[in-house]
Amino acid sequence: MAETAFELQDRKTDKELYSYQQGAIQQIFDKFETAPPDYHLLYQLPTGGGKTVIFSEIVRQYLKLHNKKVLVMTHRLELCSQTATMLTSFGVVNKVVNSTANLDDQEQYSCFVAMVETLNNRLNDDMLDISDIGLVIIDEAHYNSFTKLFKFFENSFILGVTATPLSSNKNLPMKHNYNELIPGETIEALIENEFLARAEVFQYDMGLTSLEIGSNGDYTVKSSEDLYGSTAMLDKLLEAYQKHSQDKKTLIFNNGINTSIQVYHTFNAAGLPIMHLDNTATKKQRQQILKWFKETPNAILTSVSILTTGFDEPTIDTIILNRATKSLTLYYQMIGRGSRVLNNKSKFTVIDLGNNGYRFGPWGADLDWQTIFKSPNFYVDRIKDDEEIEGAFKHAMPEELRKEFAKSEEVYFDIKDTYVKATSKGESSKVVLERSIAQHAKICIENSEDVYDALGLAKQLGDDIDQRIQTYAKCISRSTHNFISWLKDDYRKKLNSYLRQNFDRVFEEIHGYPPED
């Protein structure tokens, strides 16, 4: 082996590499020795598994064994700074190539750390000598912004690292840019060996069919803000927090700044300790907010995507997905923010208000990353759409309301099944709502002493009625806003009329005796 022309400092960290990390390093070095010098290798490891530790040790060992330099690319400023600090702790003297960096002394460095856009500008201006770069490491390699720089490193070994080897662009699969994938430890294995915390997930059945999909393949900010900024959704979020995460350190992810601000005002009005953070905050404001979040035991932070990468706060107890996403990568990144272990922390809470678990499966499921890498479209095309997800929901009456109907053994009515059975017999679709009204009336009468009690209970069935009407409208393929509004009003009028006209008869059928006068 050629001796390096650069000196390494002693390691300043006493961090010991775990066996799975050492195994990954050995696999990657085997490729350095056996693969062509311009090979493109992709390494996958879950968030929290220590990707930065692994590639920092790789850089240290590579510089010992090769008379070549190393370049590490990141896509965010925070990651750039964290990577440089980690490399320094491993004894690797490095130069951060940012917009203000003076590169006059670049020949003195064996390792460079750069943000992708800044590096692109410096390379196009011919300000950085990359002729002796032997290894290029790309952090968060699933982002496609890096690929435009590959042309500069046609003779370098490229190592991409990511938690999710699935491209952020369906038309630019990672297999086109990397020769091979090495999968690391699974989330379940890391949990079992106490390297990650286990997620306790609370899923809510959400109606998301009003969301629109944008050109990037994910839900648009506007349609998300229209839905999640509504009073009903903000109330649902607050209720979910109070039920599952009261007084716990909580990080909320939203799709849109306006939604996050509304979340802030909703929680603040409830007297809860909350702050809002988005990408318009200054560096000083961001530091102050994150310091407060770290030091406040029951802090709540509502944010807009910017904390999905480059943010490690092990004291987080709860992650709330106050948004839906079509991105498997984003889904794993958001939940991964709560998976860091700390002292006796072995589990954390996830509240899913976006049907994300139904869409992708449980966080930590044993995904076949090799198949996803080789055939990404096969995987993506089989992700359930919202209509399919919501079609499987069985609407559950809220617990507090269910208590009002305690004398009824069953309060659920299957609109879809009733519709299928009725139409197969040649009956009009109208009988579906007639039977639904009769069932609603029955449970009201079962739990009432007189017609006035029954009418009072019927008023509390608003959400249940709306859900049935929405399902019915889908069955008959009519979903205009005016038509659905008319159906909801008409249903309520007919339910009240049914109760007034049939209370005595139904009461006697149920109890075997007439109601008292």
Side-chain angles (χ1 to χ4, degrees):
M1 296 287 180
E3 292 184 359
T4 178
F6 303 95
E7 292 295 327
L8 288 172
Q9 295 184 350
D10 292 335
R11 280 183 55 165
K12 299 176 183 178
T13 178
D14 57 0
K15 184 184 289 291
E16 293 293 328
L17 273 71
Y18 301 121
S19 58
Y20 72 88
Q21 294 174 329
Q22 293 172 343
I25 291 170
Q26 184 59 55
Q27 281 184 286
I28 292 167
F29 267 90
D30 286 346
K31 291 297 177 183
F32 289 157
E33 302 303 324
T34 60
D38 60 351
Y39 200 66
H40 291 191
L41 179 65
L42 189 61
Y43 173 65
Q44 177 270 333
L45 186 67
T47 298
K51 293 187 294 296
T52 309
V53 169
I54 288 173
F55 70 67
S56 293
E57 178 64 12
I58 285 173
V59 172
R60 190 182 74 84
Q61 292 188 28
Y62 182 91
L63 292 175
K64 274 188 173 182
L65 299 172
H66 298 81
N67 191 26
K68 291 280 188 178
K69 295 186 179 183
V70 177
L71 170 68
V72 182
M73 282 196 272
T74 72
H75 77 291
R76 295 187 54 172
L77 188 60
E78 291 83 5
L79 285 173
C80 195
S81 175
Q82 290 173 18
T83 298
T85 300
M86 182 67 76
L87 285 165
T88 299
S89 74
F90 274 76
V92 177
V93 180
N94 60 89
K95 176 83 171 180
V96 175
V97 182
N98 57 29
S99 58
T100 59
N102 184 341
L103 298 179
D104 292 343
D105 60 349
Q106 60 182 282
E107 67 277 358
Q108 299 176 27
Y109 291 90
S110 59
C111 180
F112 300 94
V113 182
M115 269 179 51
V116 58
E117 297 304 334
T118 304
L119 180 63
N120 187 51
N121 293 337
R122 293 300 179 100
L123 292 177
N124 283 316
D125 293 339
D126 200 25
M127 296 179 65
L128 182 66
D129 180 12
I130 58 171
S131 59
D132 56 353
I133 297 289
L135 172 63
V136 177
I137 296 177
I138 300 175
D139 194 13
E140 304 290 350
H142 53 272
Y143 287 104
N144 289 297
S145 55
F146 295 107
T147 57
K148 62 176 172 281
L149 296 176
F150 281 18
K151 63 179 183 282
F152 293 106
F153 302 100
E154 293 179 347
N155 298 315
S156 302
F157 192 109
I158 293 181
L159 172 64
V161 294
T162 178
T164 50
L166 183 64
S167 172
S168 57
N169 186 329
K170 183 178 178 180
N171 298 318
L172 298 171
M174 300 194 77
K175 65 178 181 178
H176 288 179
N177 292 310
Y178 291 90
N179 302 103
E180 179 184 354
L181 169 70
I182 295 179
E185 290 288 281
T186 65
I187 289 176
E188 184 58 36
L190 292 174
I191 292 172
E192 287 295 327
N193 291 293
E194 300 181 348
F195 296 120
L196 291 181
R198 187 176 297 279
E200 183 180 15
V201 181
F202 297 95
Q203 293 189 138
Y204 284 73
D205 295 349
M206 307 296 293
L208 304 178
T209 50
S210 66
L211 294 181
E212 298 175 355
I213 299 173
S215 58
N216 66 347
D218 210 348
Y219 298 108
T220 64
V221 171
K222 183 183 184 306
S223 66
S224 295
E225 293 200 318
D226 287 344
L227 177 63
Y228 284 91
S230 67
T231 301
M233 292 293 277
L234 290 166
D235 288 345
K236 186 182 287 287
L237 168 63
L238 180 59
E239 178 186 340
Y241 164 81
Q242 291 172 331
K243 183 175 182 179
H244 301 295
S245 188
Q246 185 75 44
D247 296 326
K248 294 180 180 179
K249 182 168 293 188
T250 300
L251 177 59
I252 304 173
F253 288 104
N254 309 278
N255 188 18
I257 293 175
N258 292 331
T259 302
S260 187
I261 292 172
Q262 287 173 301
V263 169
Y264 165 79
H265 288 301
T266 299
F267 278 63
N268 188 52
L272 295 166
I274 187 168
M275 296 192 80
H276 156 81
L277 181 63
D278 63 56
N279 58 8
T280 65
T282 65
K283 183 178 180 180
K284 182 178 181 181
Q285 289 171 330
R286 179 188 174 98
Q287 290 174 340
Q288 290 174 337
I289 290 170
L290 293 181
K291 183 174 185 291
W292 168 84
F293 185 61
K294 182 181 183 68
E295 296 175 352
T296 307
N298 60 340
I300 306 165
L301 182 58
T302 178
S303 67
V304 190
S305 296
I306 60 170
L307 300 178
T308 55
T309 58
F311 173 64
D312 294 325
E313 184 47 67
T315 60
I316 293 171
D317 290 309
T318 299
I319 298 292
I320 300 182
L321 309 182
N322 191 43
R323 59 163 298 169
T325 181
K326 290 276 190 179
S327 168
L328 175 71
T329 296
L330 183 57
Y331 172 59
Y332 269 72
Q333 284 176 334
M334 291 188 293
I335 295 180
R337 296 305 113 195
S339 67
R340 306 284 184 178
V341 293
L342 176 69
N343 300 329
N344 61 347
K345 173 188 170 184
S346 61
K347 66 178 183 178
F348 66 107
T349 299
V350 176
I351 299 172
D352 183 2
L353 298 175
N355 294 344
N356 299 292
Y358 295 124
R359 194 172 297 113
F360 301 114
W363 176 82
D366 190 12
L367 293 175
D368 184 348
W369 289 117
Q370 285 288 10
T371 298
I372 291 173
F373 172 68
K374 293 174 182 176
S375 306
N377 289 349
F378 180 83
Y379 170 77
V380 171
D381 291 342
R382 280 157 181 75
I383 294 175
K384 294 179 180 179
D385 61 27
D386 292 321
E387 288 198 2
E388 184 182 0
I389 291 170
E390 294 173 34
F393 289 164
K394 180 178 178 179
H395 181 71
M397 187 178 285
E399 290 179 15
E400 288 302 311
L401 181 58
R402 184 66 177 86
K403 294 175 184 176
E404 298 292 323
F405 295 88
K407 294 179 181 178
S408 300
E409 289 186 15
E410 180 60 76
V411 296
Y412 178 69
F413 183 83
D414 194 328
I415 289 283
K416 187 175 181 180
D417 182 65
T418 305
Y419 173 82
V420 170
K421 289 177 179 177
T423 53
S424 67
K425 295 177 182 178
E427 295 179 293
S428 168
S429 63
K430 293 180 180 179
V431 303
V432 176
L433 294 186
E434 292 171 0
R435 289 166 187 166
S436 175
I437 288 169
Q439 187 266 351
H440 262 152
K442 181 175 181 290
I443 65 173
C444 289
I445 295 170
E446 280 179 330
N447 295 276
S448 302
E449 295 299 323
D450 56 41
V451 68
Y452 301 106
D453 288 344
L455 290 168
L457 285 177
K459 286 184 178 179
Q460 299 184 52
L461 291 172
D463 288 344
D464 209 60
I465 291 171
D466 290 349
Q467 185 273 331
R468 293 189 186 187
I469 294 299
Q470 292 284 359
T471 304
Y472 175 75
K474 289 179 183 176
C475 288
I476 63 174
S477 300
R478 292 187 64 184
S479 58
T480 64
H481 176 74
N482 289 340
F483 177 69
I484 292 175
S485 295
W486 177 83
L487 274 181
K488 291 176 179 178
D489 290 340
D490 187 63
Y491 189 105
R492 286 165 168 80
K493 291 175 184 176
K494 287 180 177 176
L495 175 58
N496 290 339
S497 176
Y498 187 101
L499 287 169
R500 291 190 180 96
Q501 294 175 20
N502 298 283
F503 181 85
D504 290 353
R505 175 183 61 79
V506 176
F507 186 95
E508 187 167 357
E509 288 176 358
I510 293 169
H511 299 287
Y513 57 84
E516 295 181 5
D517 293 334

